[in-house]
Amino acid sequence: MSTTKFRIVETRFEQEARRPGGKKASEALLEAHANLTTLASKTLPRFHEGLQTLRSLAGNGADRPSDDALRRIYDVADRLIGYCLTVNRPGLDQVLLRTAGLSDAVRQSDLWLPGTFAPLIETFQLTLDGSLDLAQVSTLIANIDLCIERYQRAAVPA
């Protein structure tokens, strides 16, 4: 018979909240919001740099990016997803997830539709600028999903 031990680790917030006269939830939320504001100013340049990298890797859209460029597109999107919580841009994580998905789908297919990455890159730009609300991003994402599905249907068997 084996035994399993587990520990409940309290976060600093939990300790503060449970202590008599501890921090009020509203104060903690204000602090968290202030922390995110500070983080946003430091991480937004990463997103802008990533956007420029994606633009250069996608090229003019007439020619299919190389498999290496497609892997790098995936890597850029994958790396940036981890920073989405630090900026208040609804749907940005979904845009980056679709960027990774589309790059994989294109890489695994012989099909190339000119301009494939353009709508996704522009959606990334508009989402990053804060020009789109979540409903608008979701509508654009739904159409990008159709493109991903089209490439997946044309995938070359492994």
Side-chain angles (χ1 to χ4, degrees), residues 88-134:
N88 186 19
R89 299 295 189 273
L92 185 58
D93 58 337
Q94 294 303 309
V95 172
L96 291 168
L97 184 63
R98 287 345 184 265
T99 302
L102 182 59
S103 68
D104 260 356
V106 170
R107 190 172 50 79
Q108 296 169 8
S109 172
D110 284 339
L111 177 67
W112 175 246
L113 303 171
T116 290
F117 284 97
L120 189 55
I121 290 172
E122 293 311 313
T123 301
F124 184 3
Q125 175 75 62
L126 292 169
T127 305
L128 191 56
D129 292 344
S131 301
L132 302 174
D133 62 29
L134 187 55

